[in-house]
Amino acid sequence: MDSKIGIPDGNKDGESSAARKNGAQKNVWLRASTLSEALSMLYERQEESVVIVGGATDILPQIKDGKKHGNVFLDLNGLQELKKIKEDERYIFIGSMVTMSAIINNPLVQRYAPTLVSAAGSVGSVQIRNRATIGGNICNASPAADTVPVLIASAARILLKSHLTSREILLEEFFVGPGKTLINPSEILTTIIIPKSERRTGFVKLGKRSAMTCSVVNHALSAELVDKKLKNVIAVFGSVGPKALRIRELEESLEGQEPSEELLGRCIPVVEKHVKPIDDVRGSADYRRRMSGVLFSRLFAHLFLGRPMGGPIL
Ligand SMILES: Cc1cc2nc3c(=O)[nH]c(=O)nc-3n(C[C@H](O)[C@H](O)[C@H](O)COP(=O)(O)OP(=O)(O)OC[C@H]3O[C@@H](n4cnc5c(N)ncnc54)[C@H](O)[C@@H]3O)c2cc1C
């Protein structure tokens, strides 16, 4: 039996006819209906490099292209508890299996994290957004992931659970490099925790076209305004380094300053100095460097100088 998402041989007990014919190792498809069941399955099979399956919009193409390997799959799509968005007085809690479409349409996210709505709305197409989960966007660890800069700029934390442990870490500490994170083989990312705050936060992305496009560069910026001065600035750039990049020198240059055209002009070279882009199919390093400055300029002017910006995709 094939799995619903099209990975061949994907059932719990069976072996595909193709696998039987050529003696290849069979694929095993594990379906859990509760988080504790999923964590037990992962714990029992932690030696087998189990591939966790969310919406499969990243892993399916990766498997088809031979970039991801594994023959045991753990499907989280039956876990209703990871598809919820909740709040308490200080935080909103987004389950890792919440899709981009669900984020866009959720009143709590619209109210407390509207910039995440913009970023989720810029991901792929409607069809992709209906399947793509926020947990998958994070765990895939692409430097171009669109929700990640916004979540880092919102000081988000994540909850990682295994059969025996539970730990909460700051999202920005989770990434090691392209496709690499601090997650252990027995862990599942269960929840994204976003503080409710008065920060002004914005997101902008440059693609090769204005819709259905991966980021050539993306940028999220957030700060509080206290007595007209910028406080606790967080500036994050994606697709210009091996992982989402916070530019501390930029943050320090803005900290305690009153927003002005002059301040903006002084900070653009700081952005261009610190991004670490590479040449690839989506753009040259030089183009990305210059556009990082442009994205910062547009977003800063929009958030703090009242200039209109249009939508999140340039
Ligand atoms: C046509 C197309 C366009 C796209 N456009 C964009 C775009 O504009 N912007 C963008 O950011 N991305 C884009 N993507 C990439 C992709 O859609 C997103 O990264 C998506 O959010 C991944 O989520 P998923 O649920 O599909 O993850 P999956 O493919 O299911 O999983 C991705 C990775 O995360 C792991 N994983 C998933 N969930 C968990 C969990 N809860 N705990 C631990 N590990 C987990 C998986 O094992 C896998 O390694 C695009 C993809 C396609 C195919």
Side-chain angles (χ1 to χ4, degrees), residues 22-297:
N22 62 21
Q25 214 174 3
K26 70 180 179 184
N27 285 341
V28 178
W29 190 263
L30 304 168
R31 279 197 186 96
S33 48
T34 64
L35 178 60
S36 71
E37 191 188 355
L39 292 172
S40 301
M41 287 172 166
L42 208 48
Y43 182 69
E44 283 158 17
R45 291 177 174 263
Q46 55 186 300
E47 306 301 319
E48 296 176 67
S49 304
V50 177
V51 178
I52 294 174
V53 180
T57 61
D58 277 319
I59 47 167
L60 191 56
Q62 287 164 4
I63 287 169
K64 286 187 168 164
D65 292 347
K67 291 179 185 155
K68 183 131 192 155
H69 304 282
N71 60 300
V72 182
F73 299 89
L74 174 60
D75 181 352
L76 303 186
N77 282 279
L79 305 191
Q80 296 310 316
E81 60 215 278
L82 298 189
K83 296 182 179 175
K84 297 196 169 123
I85 300 176
K86 299 181 194 162
E87 67 172 327
D88 69 9
E89 272 180 24
R90 296 174 57 202
Y91 301 98
I92 59 171
F93 303 89
I94 303 181
S96 59
M97 285 297 291
V98 171
T99 63
M100 300 298 167
S101 296
I103 285 172
I104 295 163
N105 292 313
N106 183 273
L108 274 180
V109 189
Q110 288 167 358
R111 175 158 179 210
Y112 293 110
T115 310
L116 184 59
V117 172
S118 301
S122 80
V123 170
S125 60
V126 173
Q127 291 86 343
I128 292 292
R129 293 194 288 273
N130 285 345
R131 284 215 62 91
T133 64
I134 187 163
N137 200 230
I138 293 170
C139 291
N140 188 54
S142 160
D146 285 319
T147 65
V148 168
V150 171
L151 291 169
I152 293 176
S154 308
R157 304 178 71 81
I158 53 171
L159 186 59
L160 299 164
K161 284 194 176 176
S162 76
H163 184 53
L164 302 173
T165 62
S166 173
R167 61 183 174 128
E168 204 182 292
I169 61 171
L170 206 53
L171 178 62
E172 70 172 283
E173 291 168 2
F174 183 57
F175 301 101
V176 176
K180 297 218 169 4
T181 68
L182 292 180
I183 201 164
N184 293 323
S186 59
E187 285 178 322
I188 290 176
L189 165 60
T190 63
T191 316
I192 296 91
I193 304 163
I194 305 174
K196 294 176 176 174
S197 80
E198 300 300 315
R199 302 176 77 80
R200 270 190 210 180
T201 307
F203 170 76
V204 62
K205 119 182 195 181
L206 172 72
K208 292 197 77 160
R209 49 185 178 246
S210 58
M212 178 75 192
T213 184
C214 289
S215 286
V216 175
V217 183
N218 63 23
H219 172 42
L221 180 64
S222 83
E224 292 158 37
L225 263 186
V226 181
D227 297 332
K228 298 190 181 166
K229 296 200 169 133
L230 297 161
K231 294 272 179 218
N232 299 319
V233 182
I234 306 181
V236 191
F237 293 80
S239 218
V240 287
K243 55 184 182 172
L245 181 74
R246 256 184 95 167
I247 301 186
R248 307 280 174 177
E249 192 183 324
L250 173 64
E251 294 172 3
E252 283 157 20
S253 305
L254 294 167
E255 194 68 31
Q257 303 294 314
E258 210 167 299
S260 67
E261 294 288 351
E262 189 271 330
L263 177 66
L264 172 57
R266 261 195 287 134
C267 286
I268 293 169
V270 180
V271 175
E272 293 178 346
K273 178 174 139 199
H274 284 280
V275 290
K276 300 183 181 85
I278 53 166
D279 295 318
D280 73 8
V281 285
R282 275 183 249 142
S284 69
D286 188 50
Y287 176 64
R288 284 190 151 110
R289 183 179 305 285
R290 284 160 192 259
M291 292 314 292
S292 300
V294 172
L295 261 57
F296 166 71
S297 169

